[in-house]
Amino acid sequence: MAPHRCLLSLALLRTAAALAPVAKPRTSIRMNGIFDSILAGFTNAEFDDRRAKARHILVKTLDECDSVMAQLNEGMTFEAAALKYSTCPSAKSGGSLGSFEPGKMVKEFDEVCFDNSVPLGEVTGPLKTQFGYHLIVVEERLTNMDRSEGSSVF
């Protein structure tokens, strides 16, 4: 008879344990709070995550700029014109400046590259800056990019 009582007691204990409410451990709540505060320390409300990708041709005078624009209108590719006429070191890569964020270029240049009314892929200019006259092709505008390790912009 004693073995039956043990089995019965064991069955009751298992049933009671299964029906008992389980309290959530406080440590998980506390850990989430710690991680939230660490993450908050790395946020920057003023961070501007926009980027642009552009090419340009830089020449010294407005007449040169008009001449290059005429060549482009006659069918010369932008890359070939940059290689032939641009005085910027980027000329050897077809005028490519790669991708950049606001504030990395002179103000006038940034205003064109980050203005959504400027069409992508079309020649814009002439634009006068302290360096001379530019013809610009904005190739791409990017916002809200993944900046995690391993992404293309990290």
Side-chain angles (χ1 to χ4, degrees):
M1 201 168 225
H4 293 280
R5 277 192 191 169
C6 288
L7 289 175
L8 183 59
S9 296
L10 183 61
L12 287 172
L13 281 173
R14 285 183 181 165
T15 304
L19 296 174
V22 177
K24 292 182 181 178
R26 290 191 168 268
T27 55
S28 66
I29 295 169
R30 185 177 298 164
M31 291 301 285
N32 286 342
I34 289 171
F35 290 123
D36 290 342
S37 66
I38 291 170
L39 184 61
F42 287 98
T43 59
N44 182 354
E46 297 177 17
F47 177 70
D48 187 351
D49 70 344
R50 296 177 302 157
R51 292 182 76 77
K53 185 176 178 185
R55 293 181 179 272
H56 81 133
I57 298 171
L58 173 64
V59 292
K60 295 209 181 285
T61 67
L62 184 57
D63 289 337
E64 287 177 288
C65 200
D66 291 339
S67 173
V68 173
M69 188 62 131
Q71 292 289 319
L72 292 170
N73 289 335
E74 290 176 12
M76 182 180 250
T77 66
F78 195 87
E79 291 80 4
L83 192 58
K84 185 173 182 179
Y85 298 108
S86 184
T87 59
C88 181
S90 68
K92 57 188 164 197
S93 60
S96 177
L97 298 168
S99 73
F100 51 91
E101 37 199 46
K104 295 294 181 186
M105 303 293 176
V106 292
K107 181 181 176 196
E108 301 88 350
F109 203 91
D110 267 1
E111 287 173 356
V112 169
C113 291
F114 292 100
D115 181 358
N116 288 327
S117 68
V118 173
L120 297 177
E122 294 183 16
V123 179
T124 304
L127 173 72
K128 177 154 179 38
T129 69
Q130 66 195 40
F131 301 106
Y133 291 87
H134 303 260
L135 293 174
I136 304 168
V137 173
V138 180
E139 297 178 321
E140 196 173 17
R141 287 187 196 94
L142 305 165
T143 56
N144 297 325
M145 297 174 307
D146 176 18
R147 291 180 177 267
S148 59
E149 188 171 348
S151 71
S152 63
V153 294
F154 182 69

